[in-house]
């Protein structure tokens, strides 16, 4: 008998701490020991048989001394023993001893204890010998009338399995189970019986369903699930039956069981594409998402809604349910919220965009009232992006959205503030009518911005889009307010020297949009001294950035000052006011340059920033028309080109998506008439229940694989040679972050190999989850060993090892066969995905690059060092981000 025929359904852990007992000692325990000793001996016999030992001399001993015992533990162990013990001779005939065992089965089927009866019936489902089952059929039939439901439902399972494997033993099984089903009251028994009829005699199942179709709602959920499956299979094979059962499916949408509602909704969608059916199924899905507490369930049901949306005819129906879908946002899980927002955004239209924006604004405001949490920040970021997309697609909504979002420019979460800033920049460029509103709101929140990156963006927007004299003056006032007292170096030195007392710090007073007769600002001398609290002792934001050594914002400030100064000169005709404004802008740049060259900042100013500020000073000193055009026109045109390119890209992706949805039929494509389609062709359609079962078992195959067998063979790696005593090959199955090695081990010798162990080790960020258990290989036998490996990072890895074993009866040391290396390629577990530019930059910054180079050099300037390296070598890929100075 080959290894493939020795099928076992029960797995038992095998401890390898001690030597296996001898057959004589086991026989002695089984014959003369007490119940406890017999129990332990029987366990050892089972383990040894599982390890490949035959032990034929113990069969009669167990029948004589163990089988008559009434101990429940013994009886459970005996069921396992009879399952795995060889029951036939080498030529395939049933062993004579099994007649005695058959009589014991019959007695157990008539045992007064319902647990023993039920367990025996479950065991009979695993028997593959018709000769053993035939004498037991009357007793199995009698169990259908037992008082206890546990016995009856297992009797149905036993009859179904026997009918499926050996139909001649019980040819009237469908009729017998149909009669049983009509009179049965227990839900679990009815479910098993109905399930058998579905697979054994579908017409009888339909006959029974027709008699009670109006009472389906009163059935238990386990029976309702089977009824849904039957209706799906019948309508899938014979679409003309849809009208007969669709009302039943509608009724099951109101079931109290979430599982029944989910399956009924999925079946309804496949049976009918009518808007009322789609709406009912979608509403059922939404209710499930809201009421179910398990986030995994929510995500699965959301995926079904997304699948519905992909059908062009269903999208219109789902658009009416957008507000119901948004109720899912009450779920705290971020992934559920992300999918919900994306689905709502895909379904938004001119009919519902206003309501959508109102709900999203309320959600944004709610995030302010929730205690700060990592998910809160990310959720706020998602809301901002969704509102951004809505405003771009529906410009009329932008005026309602912008005032709410601009409050978040001062948010501690830089990512959310950056999204708001990107939205504001796009809105102010595209919507001319909103520019005044955006500039006004920007000036209101400008002093509260905490992030230097957001500060730079706000400076650019204010410098680019302030077009009136009053706005330009307000920008200059805000900049002076943010810089504090100037010159900065002198004021900081005085502060350190103690001339300015810490508790009496000079601050700029309230700001007014006024200019004196001399053309200077009133706030220039409007200083007040106060005794601030500890919180108020913080420096003004821009001054703090500069003293921290971040002079990139100073370069942005210089560009902004240059733009507004050139624009102010064009707006104001008085020469004195022009000169005064330009001089003030140049003074601010000069004091920043002075600060950068001093020792006060934590980091000195870079040469690039010095060049930029110096260029701006030169532009203001000359005020040429060419520079005016470059600063005030070319910059905005660059932004316009970038946004146009982005818009074109979005339109192109939307066009591709719509082309995918539209089903194009070529002129020469054949027309399929359902009435003329053969039954076997109709059954070629995908059965959703079968696909779900395959997915749960991990047996799904990629559609693009033309030859699944060939693609599987390509992943087989030979580990040993054909002349080695043990031949081994591995099938490498990669599933995201898990690698499963299915290793085939073949004993090519005439000896029994004991304690045959697969020893593996890894190189790289691969981790062996568990050590494979040892096994025993009979002569020329084979076995499969599975090993799980976890992937910890995106790098290539190597799995290596050997097979060690002992030869039965030999006194030599352990034998060893070295295995070939298995190379795990990064491309095997990397899947293509998409992300936005901002997400890519964030991940790029957070990722710990492994190709950093630590260098020791006397050079201080990084650019000088790179130039030196590039001249002396041909390294073209070295960038400042990849070099780390000691």
């Amino acid at each position: 008998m080959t290894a493939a025929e020795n099928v076992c359904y029960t797995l038992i852990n095998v401890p390898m701490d001690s030597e296996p007992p001898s057959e004589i000692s086991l026989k002695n325990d089984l014959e003369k020991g007490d119940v406890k000793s017999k129990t332990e001996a029987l366990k050892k016999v089972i383990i040894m048989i599982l390890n490949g030992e035959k032990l034929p001399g113990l069969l009669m001993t167990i029948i004589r001394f163990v089988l008559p015992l009434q101990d429940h533990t013994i009886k459970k162990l005996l069921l396992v023993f009879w399952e795995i013990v060889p029951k036939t001779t080498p030529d395939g005939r049933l062993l004579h001893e099994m007649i005695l065992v058959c009589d014991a089965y019959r007695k157990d089927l008539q045992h007064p204890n319902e647990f023993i009866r039920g367990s025996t019936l479950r065991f009979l489902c695993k028997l593959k010998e018709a000769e053993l089952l035939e004498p037991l059929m009357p007793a199995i039939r009698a169990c259908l009338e037992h008082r206890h439901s546990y016995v009856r439902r297992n009797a149905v399972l036993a009859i179904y399995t026997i009918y499926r494997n050996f139909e001649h033993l019980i040819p009237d099984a469908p009729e017998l189970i149909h009669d049983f089903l009509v009179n049965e009251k227990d839900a679990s028994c009815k479910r098993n019986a109905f399930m058998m009829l579905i697979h054994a005699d579908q017409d009888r199942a339909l006959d029974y369903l027709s008699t009670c179709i109006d009472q389906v709602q009163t059935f238990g959920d386990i029976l309702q699930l089977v009824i849904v499956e039957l209706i799906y299979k019948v309508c899938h094979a014979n679409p003309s039956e849809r009208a007969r059962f669709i009302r039943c499916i509608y009724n099951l949408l109101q079931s109290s069981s979430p599982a029944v509602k989910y399956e009924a909704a999925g079946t309804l969608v496949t049976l009918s594409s009518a808007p009322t059916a789609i709406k009912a199924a979608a509403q059922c899905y939404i209710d499930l998402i809201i009421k179910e507490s398990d986030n995994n369930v929510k995500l699965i049901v959301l995926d079904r809604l997304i699948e519905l949306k992909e059908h062009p005819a269903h999208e219109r129906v789902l658009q009416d349910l957008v507000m119901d879908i948004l109720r899912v946002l009450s779920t705290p899980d971020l992934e559920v919220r992300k999918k919900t927002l994306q689905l709502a955004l895909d379904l938004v239209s001119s009919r519902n965009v206003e309501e959508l924006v109102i709900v999203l604004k309320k959600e944004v405001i709610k995030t302010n009232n929730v205690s700060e949490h990592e998910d809160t920040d990310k959720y706020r970021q998602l809301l901002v992006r969704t509102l951004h997309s809505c405003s771009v697609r529906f410009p009329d909504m932008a005026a309602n959205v912008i005032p709410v979002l601009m409050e978040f420019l001062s948010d501690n979460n830089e990512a959310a503030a950056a999204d708001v800033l990107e939205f504001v920049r796009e809105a102010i460029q595209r919507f001319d009518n909103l520019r005044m509103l955006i500039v006004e709101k920007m000036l209101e929140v400008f002093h509260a911005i905490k992030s230097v990156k957001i500060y730079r963006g706000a400076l650019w927007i204010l410098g680019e889009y302030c077009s009136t004299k009053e706005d330009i003056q307000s920008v200059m006032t805000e900049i002076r307010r943010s810089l504090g007292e100037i010159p900065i170096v002198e004021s900081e030195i005085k502060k350190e020297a103690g001339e300015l007392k810490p508790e009496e710090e000079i601050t700029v007073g309230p700001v007014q949009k006024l200019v004196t007769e001399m053309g200077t600002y009133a706030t220039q001398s409007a200083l007040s001294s106060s005794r601030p609290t500890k919180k108020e002792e913080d420096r003004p934001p821009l001054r703090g950035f500069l003293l921290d050594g971040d002079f990139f914002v100073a370069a942005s400030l210089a560009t902004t000052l240059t733009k507004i100064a050139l624009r102010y000169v064009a707006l104001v005709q008085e020469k004195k006011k022009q000169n005064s404004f330009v001089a003030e802008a140049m003074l601010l740049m000069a004091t920043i340059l002075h600060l950068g060259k001093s020792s006060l900042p934590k980091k000195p100013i870079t040469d690039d920033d010095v060049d930029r500020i110096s260029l701006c000073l030169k532009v203001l000193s000359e005020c040429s028309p060419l520079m005016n055009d470059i600063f005030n026109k070319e910059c905005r045109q660059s932004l316009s080109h970038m946004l146009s390119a982005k818009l074109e890209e979005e339109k192109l992706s939307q066009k591709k998506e719509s082309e995918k949805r539209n089903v194009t039929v070529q002129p020469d494509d054949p027309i399929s008439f359902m009435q003329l389609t053969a039954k076997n062709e109709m059954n070629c359609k995908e059965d959703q229940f079968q696909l779900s079962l395959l997915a749960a078992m991990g047996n799904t195959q990629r559609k693009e694989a033309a030859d699944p067998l060939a693609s599987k063979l390509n992943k087989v790696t030979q580990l040993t040679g054909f002349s080695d005593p043990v031949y081994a090959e591995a099938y490498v199955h990669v599933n995201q972050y898990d690698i499963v090695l299915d290793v085939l081990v073949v004993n090519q010798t005439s000896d029994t190999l004991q304690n045959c162990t697969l020893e593996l080790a890894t190189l790289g960020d691969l981790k062996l989850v568990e050590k494979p258990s040892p096994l025993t290989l009979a002569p020329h036998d084979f076995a499969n060993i599975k090993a799980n490996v976890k992937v910890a990072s995106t790098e290539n890895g190597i799995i290596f090892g050997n097979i060690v074993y002992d030869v039965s009866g030999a006194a030599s040391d352990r034998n060893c066969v070295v295995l070939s290396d298995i190379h795990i390629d990064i491309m095997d577990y990397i899947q293509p995905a998409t992300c936005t530019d901002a997400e890519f930059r964030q991940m790029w910054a957070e990722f710990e690059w492994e190709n950093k180079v630590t260098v020791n050099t006397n050079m201080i300037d990084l650019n000088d060092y790179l130039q030196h390296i590039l001249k002396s070598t041909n390294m073209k890929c070295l960038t400042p981000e990849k070099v780390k100075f000691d």
Side-chain angles (χ1 to χ4, degrees), residues 163-189:
Y163 178 78
R164 187 177 58 188
N165 296 330
F166 313 105
E167 186 176 342
H168 64 279
L169 294 180
I170 183 166
D172 62 335
E175 184 181 353
L176 177 68
I177 296 301
H178 180 269
D179 296 339
F180 169 80
L181 181 60
V182 171
N183 300 316
E184 182 56 50
K185 302 298 180 187
D186 182 74
S188 61
C189 297

Side-chain angles (χ1 to χ4, degrees), residues 575-594:
K575 201 70 177 175
K576 188 180 291 185
K577 289 185 178 180
Q578 291 178 0
N579 292 340
S580 176
F581 193 96
V582 172
E584 186 169 7
M586 295 176 74
L587 172 63
L588 295 178
M589 296 184 212
T591 190
I592 291 171
L593 278 177
H594 186 198

Side-chain angles (χ1 to χ4, degrees), residues 66 98 166 168 191 204 350 442 555 622 646 745 755 781:
V66 182
M98 298 309 295
F166 313 105
H168 64 279
R191 182 258 180 200
R204 289 185 186 273
S350 55
M442 183 71 76
E622 295 176 356
K646 183 180 176 183
V745 181
N755 296 328
D781 197 1

Side-chain angles (χ1 to χ4, degrees), residues 670-800:
I671 300 174
S672 176
F673 293 95
M674 190 68 71
Q675 292 82 354
L676 304 178
T677 307
K679 260 191 177 180
N680 57 347
E681 292 178 10
M682 289 173 62
N683 291 336
C684 289
K685 295 178 183 178
E686 293 181 340
D687 187 335
Q688 296 299 324
F689 282 90
Q690 192 66 24
L691 289 177
S692 301
L693 180 61
L694 289 174
M697 296 168 63
N699 291 337
T700 53
Q701 296 177 350
R702 293 184 179 181
K703 291 182 181 178
E704 62 268 17
D707 188 354
L709 182 61
S711 63
K712 188 170 182 178
L713 290 175
N714 289 335
K715 297 181 181 179
V716 174
T717 304
Q718 185 176 339
L719 302 180
T720 64
F722 291 111
S723 59
D724 287 321
V726 176
Y727 173 76
E729 63 183 25
Y731 169 65
V732 183
H733 178 69
V734 179
N735 182 22
Q736 292 187 350
Y737 306 109
D738 296 324
I739 298 174
V740 179
L741 298 180
D742 190 354
V743 183
L744 171 67
V745 181
V746 182
N747 179 8
Q748 302 195 107
T749 67
S750 300
D751 301 317
T752 299
L753 306 184
Q754 295 181 335
N755 296 328
C756 185
T757 308
L758 175 66
E759 297 181 346
L760 295 175
T762 59
L763 279 179
D765 281 345
L766 302 175
K767 182 182 178 184
L768 192 66
V769 177
E770 58 183 347
K771 185 179 178 182
S773 301
L775 49 86
T776 301
L777 286 177
H780 304 290
D781 197 1
F782 63 88
N784 284 76
I785 304 173
K786 289 194 176 182
N788 295 318
V789 178
K790 275 282 185 188
V791 179
S793 74
T794 52
E795 66 170 17
N796 296 336
I798 298 174
I799 302 173
F800 60 95

Side-chain angles (χ1 to χ4, degrees), residues 436 439 443 465-477 512-516 519 521 564-565 567-574 577-578 581:
M436 294 293 293
V439 169
L443 288 170
Y465 295 99
C466 286
S467 54
T468 65
K469 184 173 65 172
E470 291 76 14
D471 287 341
I472 292 172
Q473 291 169 354
S474 300
V475 172
M476 179 62 86
T477 303
Q512 294 182 1
K513 299 180 181 179
L514 296 175
V515 182
T516 63
Y521 289 95
I564 63 174
R567 207 171 292 131
Y568 187 84
V569 168
L571 290 171
V572 177
Q573 302 301 321
E574 296 180 36
K577 289 185 178 180
Q578 291 178 0
F581 193 96

Side-chain angles (χ1 to χ4, degrees), residues 534-575:
K534 287 185 179 179
K535 288 183 181 178
E536 294 173 347
E537 288 178 8
D538 294 335
R539 300 187 186 100
L542 184 53
R543 192 187 192 97
F545 298 146
L546 296 175
L547 288 172
D548 287 338
D550 194 338
F551 283 94
F552 188 27
V553 70
S556 301
L557 174 63
T559 305
T560 300
L561 288 172
T562 305
K563 288 179 181 179
I564 63 174
L566 292 173
R567 207 171 292 131
Y568 187 84
V569 168
L571 290 171
V572 177
Q573 302 301 321
E574 296 180 36
K575 201 70 177 175

